[in-house]
């Protein structure tokens, strides 16, 4: 079963593997791939110098040195540097050369699986012939390869098209994954929210603000928070209860949105498992994904913290600034590693 990648933004998308597992990936684009290529070129130059030294030692001990032997050694060295280096690295290092490892990229098959020797060899041969260094019409093939990467929705180069592979970001910045927890006093109110007008861009802006707000200075932080709260208030109903701090209001809206999204994902996967039981993947109990918020009785008093901004837990709580948000840091791992939502 083939896989599909839905990437409406061109930089990230959802990959549906052959086992019907949805995996969010970040497709590598020209900038990161060129940087990885520059690192690989530097490694290849050092490897070429090492092979030249070895070849000189071999020739110095050979009884007869002629043009045929020199040509054979030169050809062998060129093949090892240009073809052997990327092929062996991608085959035995999980789709990563030294440059890709440094930048955080990985080559995978179109279905998200690891590349094999044939995929790595095909990519290397096509790359040497028409991309880098480009033995066939270098300038023309360079332009064609660059145009292909820019036009392809998965950022594929010619070698990827021939081998059925793609290059993705193996690491994702942890700050993008911080999800605010539900403040308990707002759980009951949040369950009544109408979030149909809250789009992904605004939700992402609020999440970044909550994750990085502790590093912003006043009054800019309050001004930005009030602006985001006003946008959320204009797109959602009902309004928050009186006396709720801005950060708690934003955290509650985002936490409720996350809970509902996890609930929809759990239902979709349950429907898939009912239709194709053999494609179901082990996961945590559904209650972890669909657990409803625990509301606080309406008449129960609640005292919000007096300080202006909560201290995120990944910085460590202190006596003056305890953790009030419940925001958590996600694990930094390969985006293709099979894992269920936390």
């Amino acid at each position: 079963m083939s896989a599909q990648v839905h990437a409406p933004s061109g930089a990230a998308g959802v990959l549906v593997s052959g086992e019907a597992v949805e995996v969010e990936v970040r497709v590598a684009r020209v900038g990161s791939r060129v940087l990885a290529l520059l690192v690989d070129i530097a490694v290849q130059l050092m490897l070429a110098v090492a092979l030249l030294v070895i070849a000189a030692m071999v020739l110095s001990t050979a009884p007869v040195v002629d043009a045929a032997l020199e040509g054979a050694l030169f050809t062998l060295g060129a093949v090892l540097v240009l073809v052997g280096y990327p092929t062996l690295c991608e085959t035995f290092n999980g789709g990563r050369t030294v440059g890709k490892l440094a930048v955080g990229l990985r080559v995978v098959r179109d279905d998200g699986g690891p590349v094999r020797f044939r995929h790595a060899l095909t990519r290397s041969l096509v790359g040497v012939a028409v991309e880098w260094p480009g033995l066939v019409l270098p300038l023309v093939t360079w332009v064609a390869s660059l145009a292909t990467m820019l036009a392809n929705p998965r950022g594929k180069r010619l070698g990827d098209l021939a081998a059925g592979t793609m290059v993705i970001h193996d690491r994702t910045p942890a700050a993008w994954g911080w999800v605010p927890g539900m403040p308990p006093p707002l759980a009951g109110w949040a369950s009544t929210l109408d979030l149909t007008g809250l789009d992904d861009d605004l939700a992402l802006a609020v999440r970044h603000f909550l994750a990085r707000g502790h590093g912003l200075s006043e009054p800019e932080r309050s001004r930005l928070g009030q602006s985001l709260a006003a946008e959320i208030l204009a797109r959602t109903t009902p309004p928050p209860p009186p006396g709720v701090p801005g950060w708690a209001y934003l955290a509650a809206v985002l936490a409720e949105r996350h809970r509902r999204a996890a609930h929809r994902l759990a239902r979709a996967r349950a429907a898939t498992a009912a239709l194709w039981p053999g494609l179901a993947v082990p996961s945590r109990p559904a209650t972890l994904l669909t657990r409803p918020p625990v509301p606080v009785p309406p008449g129960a008093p609640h005292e919000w913290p007096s300080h202006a901004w909560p201290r995120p837990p990944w910085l460590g709580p202190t006596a003056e600034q305890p953790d009030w948000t419940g925001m958590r840091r996600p694990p930094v791992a390969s985006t293709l590693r099979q894992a269920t939502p936390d």
Side-chain angles (χ1 to χ4, degrees):
M1 183 180 297
S2 60
Q4 299 176 353
V5 174
H6 307 281
S9 64
V14 175
L15 184 148
V16 182
S17 70
E19 291 77 23
V21 179
E22 295 180 354
V23 184
E24 185 177 354
V25 298
R26 293 177 58 210
V27 177
R29 289 301 181 181
V30 176
S32 57
R33 296 187 66 170
V34 169
L35 180 59
L37 176 62
L38 293 177
V39 176
D40 284 330
I41 290 176
V43 174
Q44 287 175 312
L45 289 176
M46 292 187 291
L47 181 60
V49 171
L51 291 177
L52 284 176
V53 173
I54 296 175
M57 297 174 58
V58 171
L59 293 177
S60 64
T61 58
V64 177
V65 178
D66 54 9
L69 179 60
E70 293 179 350
L73 292 177
F74 176 80
T75 302
L76 178 61
V79 170
L80 288 176
V81 172
L82 298 177
V83 179
Y85 162 73
T87 300
L88 295 177
C89 284
E90 292 178 0
T91 301
F92 297 104
N93 195 31
R96 296 171 295 186
T97 60
V98 176
K100 290 183 175 64
L101 183 62
V103 180
L105 306 181
R106 180 192 295 269
V107 181
V108 297
R109 300 196 309 261
D110 283 341
D111 63 354
V115 293
R116 305 300 182 188
F117 176 77
R118 64 179 183 276
H119 304 101
L121 180 61
T122 301
R123 297 180 78 260
S124 300
L125 291 177
V126 174
V128 171
V130 297
E131 292 175 330
W132 177 261
L135 302 180
V136 181
L137 299 175
L139 294 179
V140 176
T141 54
W142 291 351
V143 174
S145 179
L146 181 60
T148 302
M149 293 179 62
L150 293 175
N152 190 279
R154 304 183 190 182
K156 288 190 172 189
R157 63 176 178 88
L158 297 176
D160 291 318
L161 293 175
T165 58
M166 58 186 296
V167 180
I168 65 170
H169 285 272
D170 189 43
R171 299 190 295 265
T172 301
W176 290 18
W178 284 327
V179 178
M182 174 65 69
L186 298 180
W189 163 81
S191 62
T192 65
L193 278 172
D194 179 8
L195 301 177
T196 54
L198 180 58
D199 56 42
D200 294 339
D201 292 336
L202 180 56
L204 182 62
V206 173
R207 186 169 66 174
H208 283 184
F209 172 71
L210 292 174
R212 302 170 181 173
H214 64 280
L216 302 178
S217 58
E218 296 289 357
E220 286 76 13
R221 180 173 62 194
S222 296
R223 187 180 301 116
L224 178 58
Q226 292 170 1
S227 174
L228 291 173
E231 289 190 59
I232 294 288
L233 188 61
R235 303 188 189 189
T236 62
T237 56
V244 175
W247 61 263
Y249 169 56
L250 296 177
V253 172
L254 238 61
E256 178 63 19
R257 187 175 188 267
H258 178 72
R259 186 190 69 83
R260 295 181 186 181
H263 180 71
R264 289 193 299 269
L265 178 60
R267 287 189 301 177
R269 289 184 173 175
T272 301
L275 293 175
W276 298 285
L279 299 182
V281 293
S283 62
R284 295 187 180 94
T287 54
L288 293 181
L289 298 177
T290 60
R291 181 174 50 206
V294 179
V296 174
H302 179 76
E303 294 183 2
W304 296 99
S306 58
H307 58 268
W309 188 261
R311 181 179 178 86
W314 53 84
L315 297 181
T318 63
E320 295 77 16
Q321 289 185 311
D323 169 27
W324 295 97
T325 64
M327 287 186 289
R328 58 185 181 275
R329 179 194 297 270
V332 180
S334 170
T335 54
L336 281 185
R337 185 172 302 161
Q338 291 191 0
T340 54
D342 189 6

